[in-house]
Amino acid sequence: MKSYKQDFIAGVVVFLVAVPLCLGIALASGAPLYSGIISGIVGGILTGFISKSPVSVSGPAAGMVAVVLAAITQLGTFETFLLAVFIAGIIQIIIGLFKAGFLADFFPSNVINGLLAAIGILIIIKQLPLAFGYFVSNTEVMGTLKEAQTAFALQPLLHLLTHVNLGATIISLISLAILIFWDYFKHTFLRAIPAPVVVVLLGILINYLYQTFFPSLMLMDSHLVEVPVNQDLVGFFQQFQHPDWSAWANSQVYVYGFIIAVVASIESLLNLEASRKIDKKHRYASRNRELFAQGIGNTVCGLIGGIPVTSVIIRTTVNVQSGGSSKVSTIFHGFLLLLTVMLIPQWLNLIPLASLAAILIHTGYKLSKISLYRSMYKEGFAQFIPFIVTIVAIVSYNLLTGVLIGLAVSFFFILRYASLRRFDVINEKHTSGSILRLLLPQQVSFLSKAAFGSQLRSLPKNSNVVIDASNSDYIDKDIVELFQEFRDNQAPSKSIVLNMTGFKDKYRIHNQMNFINVTTHNVQLSLKPREILNILAEGNQRFLHNRVIHRNQQQEIHATSSSQHPIAVILSCIDSRVPVELIFDLGLGDVFTTRIAGNIISDDILASIEFACHVAGAKLILVLGHLGCGAIKAACVAQSADGYVDGLLAKVKPAIAVQNQLTPNAKADSKEFVTDVINLNVEHSMFQIYQKSEILRQLIDSKKINLAAGIYNIYDGTVQFTEEQFSKTTYENSKFQKS
């Protein structure tokens, strides 16, 4: 109920603003005055009812003035023009039914913000003459009452200081003060009344006081709203005009019908996006439904004598600022227009234009606050420059021209951005060396040609390069030709070994594999134990940051099917949360893995490690424990188990015994105690490897292999490695010598 109350109040305010604007736009368009009122009624009631936008208000818009004026002039009669409006409405209905509203997604936010700010500036500029009463005739007033979306006119402002009407100026200044400070009133009753309504009523009262006490300040008729007065309802309906159906054969009718449909649709979509931004709830409205609604409205306008309607940002802004939150406000404003021009048009003619000018100036200020400029500046020049250009162009020319110029500048920055790198170039460090992988995005348009060309030219000589199209659904023909030229000419001239993978057959660019990154015998021979430990550490970092190497498992299967040359053997727990190849980002054939609960040592485990190092040539033994190990915890609390598990847990007791010596009063089931035992158990496994295996001991002492330890953190995915090199001295100083 409360929201409906606000909607009705907002409808009243929008109605008060709409009356002079409807008349002014009609006059500026060279159309009968009543055609503007008819469009306001149709846009408010019919279009408002069909549209799904909760705040957008439709009616005659100044963005259409130039088109309407040209159409009426070229077509010869207003009735022929109405036929073009009818055809435009049909075209808009078809556009809406074919769901072309997606075009609104291509209007960048910087242009929309520029549109709003420019509208605010123009509102202020256009209303200043009205606010200071610089008019001597009703015709001059109506000509300047075009809704504040037309180009900036300098002449009225130059003459403003020498043609000030004191009575209008007083009303304007008092009205602005009320609008600015109204929200600061603490009295609940006063704050419940919208400030614009107070301004209009007070303006009427002040002008009445002028007439009674200060005749010299009394406003002339040209400073008041002037709606045509009918004698009865019949006179109202006689104002309607109808299309000249005999003009069907005139090709110009269809040309202007199409132009009106396109311009009105673009303006409506722009204003719909702008209305969503100023809507306090930022609600989305169907663009297709909006085009359909505008089409219905223009069809009816063409049938009964109205000029074209669009979604109008100024009335929408007034609607939102006045508390409108549903389409009730826009429909109600349409009914008020209908009832007042039918029944009491003379009442509207009491409203001072200065009061309405103050409302619009205050609204314009809210649209073009300094904070908006600061915010856009902080977004960077790519956002700020199109924003400023849009404002200047709209103020200098008109809404449509200004928006097109703003879009052109914004498109320039889009092209500039597209010419920069818009794809990932990953330096992958495999066991066999580094490769550069160019990972193509899902959509690769011709806009990326400059970026790809620059990147390909910058690739270093004698490098291994992969162009990976595995994730791409679309690649433009220009890009495919660029890759083909690089493959055939640039890569051979720079001794670049090139792989091309993931390309679909339709691109006619065959996948090719000139190298495969698996661990070979030469790689195994060339690596030192310390380098292998670094490879594991780097792999863990890639795993942590989700930058794992892109692998082709089928190629790895084929390449490793005849032989294997792993660089390390890793003894780890069987815990499902410790997948060795994943946490080190390894591929097929890179390492041996042997897994057993608690990463303990047994004869079979030692035999496997001896095979890995002595026979297969692995150069690193990594004993990998992990936090939260269930086997270690069970051993710490002396938990018994069936079958062979007890024998396995018994192998953890040496580590528990050492920890009991170090912390005799510690609780065996505490997290700290278990964690310390986990670390000691890794040391014990290393101790046993060196103690029990003569083959491995000799390899370690001769520094042909390295024995290292690591603890995997199951909570964050990190692996902490031991820094020192295991040696005979490490063995002799071990805590387990005495145990």
Side-chain angles (χ1 to χ4, degrees), residues 494-736:
K494 298 174 71 173
S495 300
I496 292 175
V497 183
L498 179 65
N499 284 355
M500 303 186 74
T501 182
F503 288 89
K504 297 179 175 60
D505 293 338
K506 63 182 179 181
Y507 299 129
R508 298 180 181 178
I509 180 170
H510 300 295
N511 295 325
Q512 63 181 52
M513 301 302 299
N514 293 319
F515 64 90
I516 299 176
N517 286 290
V518 296
T519 303
T520 63
H521 181 61
N522 289 336
V523 169
Q524 187 189 61
L525 288 176
S526 64
L527 289 173
K528 298 178 180 179
R530 171 53 65 179
E531 293 174 329
I532 296 172
L533 197 61
N534 290 337
I535 289 173
L536 298 182
E538 290 171 357
N540 181 240
Q541 288 300 307
R542 293 195 300 271
F543 166 74
L544 289 174
H545 297 95
N546 200 27
R547 295 197 302 263
V548 296
I549 291 174
H550 296 77
R551 301 181 185 278
N552 188 321
Q553 276 80 18
Q554 290 300 316
Q555 292 174 358
E556 290 183 349
I557 290 172
H558 178 74
T560 58
S561 60
S562 58
S563 62
Q564 61 170 336
H565 305 280
I567 57 176
V569 54
I570 301 175
L571 169 62
S572 70
C573 182
I574 64 168
D575 195 294
S576 62
R577 298 165 294 178
V578 192
V580 172
E581 283 83 357
L582 289 181
I583 66 176
F584 292 119
D585 189 24
L586 298 169
L588 297 181
D590 287 343
V591 295
F592 288 106
T593 57
T594 178
R595 304 183 65 172
I596 187 171
N599 44 271
I600 60 172
I601 294 298
S602 68
D603 291 346
D604 294 332
I605 294 293
L606 279 176
S608 298
I609 297 175
E610 286 181 347
F611 171 81
C613 297
H614 185 57
V615 178
K619 295 183 177 180
L620 174 71
I621 304 170
L622 177 67
V623 180
L624 184 66
H626 70 93
L627 300 183
C629 182
I632 302 297
K633 184 175 181 180
C636 288
V637 298
Q639 183 176 335
S640 61
D642 297 330
Y644 293 99
V645 177
D646 274 341
L648 185 146
L649 297 180
K651 296 182 180 294
V652 183
K653 289 182 179 180
I656 297 174
V658 170
Q659 185 59 31
N660 282 327
Q661 293 175 5
L662 297 173
T663 56
N665 298 320
K667 294 183 178 180
D669 58 350
S670 69
K671 183 177 180 180
E672 293 77 11
F673 186 89
V674 173
T675 300
D676 289 339
V677 173
I678 289 171
N679 284 277
L680 285 170
N681 186 62
V682 170
E683 292 183 29
H684 184 244
S685 294
M686 297 171 69
F687 177 84
Q688 288 188 301
I689 290 172
Y690 189 88
Q691 180 188 53
K692 292 186 174 183
S693 173
E694 183 178 351
I695 292 176
L696 297 176
R697 184 167 59 252
Q698 290 177 356
L699 291 173
I700 293 170
D701 289 342
S702 62
K703 296 185 179 181
K704 292 181 179 179
I705 68 171
N706 188 15
L707 176 58
I711 298 293
Y712 176 68
N713 189 331
I714 62 171
Y715 306 107
D716 63 16
T718 58
V719 176
Q720 295 293 330
F721 297 95
T722 54
E723 294 296 329
E724 63 175 321
Q725 176 88 19
F726 194 94
S727 64
K728 183 177 181 180
T729 303
T730 308
Y731 170 75
E732 292 173 346
N733 294 330
S734 172
K735 304 179 184 70
F736 297 98

Side-chain angles (χ1 to χ4, degrees), residues 351-367:
I351 302 173
L353 293 175
S355 299
L356 300 180
I359 294 173
L360 292 171
I361 289 172
H362 187 249
T363 300
Y365 165 73
K366 290 183 177 180
L367 281 174

Side-chain angles (χ1 to χ4, degrees), residues 23 221 224-229 344-352:
L23 296 171
D221 289 343
L224 303 174
V225 171
E226 186 170 354
V227 176
V229 178
I344 52 171
Q346 62 274 12
W347 288 21
L348 297 176
N349 295 340
L350 299 175
I351 302 173

Side-chain angles (χ1 to χ4, degrees), residues 47-95:
T47 306
F49 179 78
I50 299 174
S51 170
K52 290 294 185 180
S53 174
V55 296
S56 176
V57 182
S58 296
M64 298 295 297
V65 166
V67 176
V68 173
L69 185 61
I72 294 175
T73 303
Q74 292 295 320
L75 296 176
T77 66
F78 184 68
E79 289 77 10
T80 305
F81 165 75
L82 291 179
L83 181 57
V85 175
F86 174 80
I87 293 171
I90 297 298
I91 293 173
Q92 283 186 293
I93 291 172
I94 295 172
I95 292 174

